[in-house]
Amino acid sequence: MKLTLGAVADRFDLPLHGDPSIEICGIANILEAQQDELTFLFNPAYKKHLTTTKAAAVVLCRDASSQCDKPCLISERPRLIWADIAELFDATPKPDGRQHPSSIIGNNVVLGDDVSIGAHAVIESNAVIGDHSTIGPGSVVGANVRIGQNSRLFANVTLYHDVMIGNNVIIHSGAIIGADGFGFEFDDVRGQHIKIPQVYGVVIADEVEIGAGTTIDRGALNHTEIGIGVKLDNQVQVGHGTRIGAHTVISGCTAIAGSMTIGRYCLIGGAVGIIDNITITDNVEITAMSLVSKSIKTKGRYSSGTGLMPGKEWKRNIVGFKQLANLLRRVRRLESGNGNS
């Protein structure tokens, strides 16, 4: 695709400094952009590269434009406008509205208009798929599943029975929605763990995106619920009966135990662990590699764990950490006047 810089400016109502006839054939980062590509300045630390980038033009905020001798588009939210411009150059294959002859369609399946079904996909009985939705190659849509309009399952997605998917949902390859939650109870008489049937399903609201390899378990006593606009990264685990509020974003490799609630507009970093049966309120940010072991009732930014340091220093500090309880007892004795001088 080729677009003129002027066309991009007009399309997104951006002030333009420079020649509007310059042709743009793609987008790239500021270090690697070529002479026919558009780049973006998100981080002030990269201002020094404005004089050396080969890019045809730069999208940046007004304050930084005075330091740029190249054609530029002005936006106070360069990262946000990046999302809009990048869509123009997105090469993801578009659905064709056809059903591949190798796909298998069960009894009483209802397909909306222009539904695309890829090779070797399986749609089990009584499923309903809304208009303009796409089922990728090798995907399995279980019995009684409901999928809304304009939703897309990429290759090899599995939806177990009784899963509910809203409109404009994207589910990437390898995701598994509706597998059994991890529920067992030990029976002393039989000497074994007894499986607790997970009789509820998973309900995913509109505008949700679910990353590759992510798993969302079905519930035992209530549905697992993913709210409107939630974004889950790759390889996120959501336990049974958990509820995630609207527009919360969760980064990769985070593990969320069952029967807990996450509020709206939360930001959860990568590889976070969250235990079961707790609540996280709205507008909470949890930094990467944290362990959430109790409820969070006040909005804000939370962290746990130890910061990065050289290995030898970390070992010395761990020795001190093991002695912390004894040191605290000694401090208390000293404060109470019972310590030895």
Side-chain angles (χ1 to χ4, degrees):
M1 176 180 287
K2 289 185 179 180
L3 295 170
T4 65
L5 195 59
V8 176
D10 291 343
R11 184 168 187 138
F12 300 107
D13 195 23
L14 299 174
L16 166 61
H17 295 173
D19 182 357
S21 67
I22 292 173
E23 286 191 337
I24 302 298
C25 296
I27 58 175
N29 69 70
I30 199 167
L31 296 176
E32 299 175 332
Q34 299 302 305
Q35 295 176 348
D36 59 354
E37 292 179 316
L38 182 67
T39 192
F40 304 82
L41 180 67
F42 308 134
N43 189 331
Y46 284 80
K47 284 183 181 179
K48 60 186 178 183
H49 300 296
L50 288 173
T51 58
T52 58
T53 183
K54 296 178 182 178
V58 184
V59 178
L60 38 60
C61 64
R62 190 173 300 279
D63 289 346
S65 63
S66 61
Q67 302 174 45
C68 183
D69 59 2
K70 288 184 172 290
C72 55
L73 298 171
I74 307 301
S75 172
E76 296 312 309
R77 298 285 303 278
R79 188 174 175 86
L80 182 60
I81 206 67
W82 170 36
D84 292 327
I85 294 174
E87 190 171 351
L88 301 177
F89 298 95
D90 185 0
T92 302
K94 303 300 182 184
D96 59 11
R98 299 177 181 176
Q99 178 183 329
H100 195 278
S102 66
S103 61
I104 299 173
I105 310 297
N107 296 326
N108 303 316
V109 169
V110 178
L111 301 179
D113 295 335
D114 297 317
V115 170
S116 300
I117 303 177
H120 305 291
V122 176
I123 316 296
E124 295 184 356
S125 60
N126 301 309
V128 177
I129 301 175
D131 298 346
H132 312 294
S133 286
T134 300
I135 310 301
S139 291
V140 177
V141 176
N144 306 308
V145 164
R146 300 291 184 270
I147 299 175
Q149 299 180 0
N150 299 301
S151 290
R152 184 165 192 175
L153 278 59
F154 282 86
N156 300 311
V157 169
T158 299
L159 306 182
Y160 279 58
H161 59 283
D162 298 313
V163 166
M164 309 286 287
I165 305 290
N167 302 316
N168 303 306
V169 171
I170 298 172
I171 305 179
H172 288 279
S173 295
I176 299 175
I177 315 298
D180 280 355
F182 195 63
F184 300 89
E185 183 66 22
F186 190 75
D187 185 334
D188 294 327
V189 175
R190 285 179 278 184
Q192 64 185 43
H193 287 92
I194 305 303
K195 182 177 178 62
I196 299 171
Q198 309 290 291
V199 299
Y200 282 80
V202 177
V203 178
I204 296 176
D206 298 347
E207 311 291 342
V208 170
E209 183 156 352
I210 297 169
T214 284
T215 55
I216 303 175
D217 293 343
R218 66 193 313 109
L221 294 173
N222 60 276
H223 293 308
T224 303
E225 298 178 9
I226 310 297
I228 186 170
V230 166
K231 312 300 181 188
L232 303 180
D233 197 0
N234 300 336
Q235 298 179 339
V236 172
Q237 157 66 18
V238 180
H240 58 149
T242 284
R243 292 177 169 134
I244 299 176
H247 305 292
T248 282
V249 176
I250 301 176
S251 296
C253 298
T254 287
I256 302 167
S259 302
M260 64 89 54
T261 300
I262 299 174
R264 297 159 51 91
Y265 296 101
C266 293
L267 298 174
I268 298 176
V272 168
I274 304 175
I275 73 165
D276 61 327
N277 292 289
I278 63 172
T279 298
I280 297 173
T281 193
D282 299 343
N283 298 292
V284 166
E285 181 178 356
I286 301 170
T287 59
M289 301 291 289
S290 296
L291 173 62
V292 183
S293 57
K294 63 179 181 180
S295 291
I296 299 175
K297 300 178 181 180
T298 304
K299 69 178 183 180
R301 181 181 173 95
Y302 294 82
S303 302
S304 73
T306 57
L308 184 70
M309 64 190 76
K312 290 182 179 179
E313 183 180 344
W314 179 82
K315 288 180 179 179
R316 289 195 297 268
N317 288 337
I318 288 298
V319 172
F321 181 79
K322 290 180 178 179
Q323 298 171 350
L324 187 59
N326 289 331
L327 290 172
L328 287 172
R329 282 194 292 269
R330 290 177 62 185
V331 168
R332 291 191 189 100
R333 285 198 301 268
L334 288 170
E335 289 178 342
S336 66
N338 295 327
N340 297 321
S341 59

